[in-house]
Amino acid sequence: MMNVVLLEPEMPSNTGNIGRTCVATQTRLHLIEPLGFKLNEKALKRAGLDYWDKLDVTVYSDYQDFLERNPDALGRMYFATTKAHKVYSDMKYETDCYLMFGKESAGIPEEILVENEDHCVRIPMWGDIRSLNLSNSVSIVLYEALRQHGFEEMELMGQLHQLHWKNK
């Protein structure tokens, strides 16, 4: 099972969208405080639709609390940042790795990135765009990690229902 880690997320709508993506991919969501919203906020639930109650989510008091409660994350955590030298699609992700994303206004603190430089990844962007939306970034990196493992246990085939139109 994959893990998405949000470090101090600020916008409930982004976190709600990410929660819905986590449910759709059977991914755990880890939220590291402080949060810029309350977990019972309407905007969070609206973005997560009726999936929020199906979400495997854990909240941590700070980054150290997260590390202490997830010792298996060490060495298997990838940090999404615009400051990385590696592109997210060039990384080889473990099936149960941790994908960390920072808060919308500032990203992941530089001291964390420096300590983990070999596991920092970036999403390529054109021009002087500062960054992508957080929920979009999570989707891009998470789906690449899942793709590398053949979308294990995920529904790969849809079904079209043939429609019959009557001539008027």
Side-chain angles (χ1 to χ4, degrees):
M1 183 180 284
M2 292 285 182
N3 296 274
V4 167
V5 182
L6 301 182
L7 180 63
E8 302 177 6
E10 298 167 316
M11 299 177 68
S13 58
N14 281 336
T15 302
N17 287 331
I18 292 164
R20 184 175 179 179
T21 299
C22 287
V23 170
T25 58
Q26 201 171 18
T27 297
R28 288 186 188 105
L29 179 61
H30 304 265
L31 301 176
I32 301 175
E33 294 181 326
L35 308 179
F37 50 87
K38 294 187 181 350
L39 287 179
N40 62 359
E41 213 167 291
K42 282 185 184 179
L44 176 74
K45 304 237 178 191
R46 185 172 32 252
L49 293 176
D50 55 349
Y51 300 104
W52 195 256
D53 63 326
K54 296 171 179 62
L55 179 62
D56 181 353
V57 61
T58 305
V59 180
Y60 305 88
S61 59
D62 56 30
Y63 181 60
Q64 195 59 42
D65 180 33
F66 167 78
L67 291 176
E68 288 169 6
R69 291 168 57 189
N70 296 281
D72 61 325
L74 296 173
R76 294 184 309 122
M77 190 154 41
Y78 300 88
F79 304 82
T81 174
T82 58
K83 299 172 183 173
H85 301 290
K86 298 176 184 176
V87 175
Y88 76 97
S89 56
D90 292 338
M91 194 63 70
K92 300 285 186 234
Y93 301 97
E94 297 85 357
T95 56
D96 55 354
C97 67
Y98 292 76
L99 307 172
M100 179 179 272
F101 300 82
K103 62 182 168 183
E104 291 90 338
S105 65
I108 300 170
E110 189 128 344
E111 59 269 14
I112 294 174
L113 298 175
V114 168
E115 290 174 6
N116 298 282
E117 188 173 355
D118 288 343
H119 282 127
C120 290
V121 298
R122 73 174 278 117
I123 299 169
M125 293 175 285
W126 182 81
D128 61 353
I129 301 299
R130 188 170 50 89
S131 66
L132 293 174
N133 173 275
L134 179 60
S135 61
N136 292 338
S137 296
V138 168
S139 294
I140 290 168
V141 178
L142 175 59
Y143 267 86
E144 171 59 20
L146 293 166
R147 183 198 65 77
Q148 289 182 12
H149 297 283
F151 299 110
E152 192 174 319
E153 297 185 35
M154 294 177 75
E155 210 43 62
L156 297 178
M157 298 284 288
Q159 183 175 347
L160 292 174
H161 299 284
Q162 199 170 31
L163 298 176
H164 300 280
W165 297 92
K166 291 182 180 181
N167 290 336
K168 294 186 178 184

